[in-house]
Amino acid sequence: MPNYNFYQQASEILNTFHTSLLEQDLERWLELFEEEAVFEFPYAPVDFPKRLAGKAEIRAHMEGLPNLLKIDKFSSLNLYTDSNKSTIIAEYNCDGTATQTGKPYMQTYISVIELHDGKIKRFKDYWNPLIVLDSVQS
């Protein structure tokens, strides 16, 4: 059985993560991360970053998100925690629209997230690059 306190903390962090993206509240979203956090996209297509290191790089990347996608909703989370109470795995979906093409963006994510002192230390985001390309390309 997972540690309830860690599970609850992880759930709250991801709910704030999603709510902040839906509300386009970049500052609240960035508060979830350590200063030297790493955000990785292992399946990112060509011309998309695969790794962002530090809040400054993460901020610069996320500031461009509204020009790429408008996220309308996230599904409820399936959340798993490790026995060391430092890593969570989250499964969820999102629905949105590509800003410039108007095409639907319906993505499935599996995220592996390492926490340290209540902040995101590393976020490894697995998603289908073909869905991104289909949505954003004319």
Side-chain angles (χ1 to χ4, degrees):
M1 182 167 153
N3 178 305
Y4 180 74
N5 290 334
F6 178 70
Y7 186 87
Q8 182 179 18
Q9 178 188 47
S11 181
E12 289 171 3
I13 287 170
L14 280 178
N15 283 328
T16 300
F17 184 96
H18 289 160
T19 301
S20 299
L21 288 175
L22 291 171
E23 295 172 355
Q24 297 183 355
D25 186 345
L26 181 59
E27 295 311 313
R28 187 168 103 188
W29 187 83
L30 284 167
E31 287 175 10
L32 297 170
F33 291 84
E34 288 187 339
E35 203 59 43
E36 299 303 319
V38 173
F39 209 127
E40 297 174 279
F41 311 98
Y43 298 144
V46 174
D47 297 330
F48 285 76
K50 290 202 177 284
R51 185 175 192 274
L52 306 168
K55 267 183 155 175
E57 279 188 26
I58 295 169
R59 173 189 294 281
H61 175 73
M62 291 304 290
E63 285 175 340
L65 183 64
N67 296 325
L68 188 65
L69 299 169
K70 163 97 172 64
I71 299 171
D72 298 314
K73 72 176 188 172
F74 285 99
S75 68
S76 53
L77 292 167
N78 290 321
L79 193 61
Y80 311 93
T81 60
D82 73 338
S83 60
N84 295 327
K85 299 170 192 63
S86 63
T87 302
I88 55 178
I89 298 169
E91 294 179 279
Y92 52 94
N93 301 313
C94 88
D95 293 340
T97 307
T99 307
Q100 297 191 9
T101 66
K103 292 181 180 179
Y105 176 72
M106 296 165 49
Q107 185 67 267
T108 299
Y109 298 90
I110 296 177
S111 302
V112 180
I113 306 148
E114 292 179 38
L115 301 178
H116 180 258
D117 291 335
K119 299 275 188 180
I120 297 171
K121 177 180 180 177
R122 182 172 175 231
F123 199 109
K124 199 166 190 176
D125 217 13
Y126 294 92
W127 38 263
N128 185 340
L130 298 177
I131 291 173
V132 173
L133 293 174
D134 185 52
S135 294
V136 301
Q137 293 178 343
S138 303

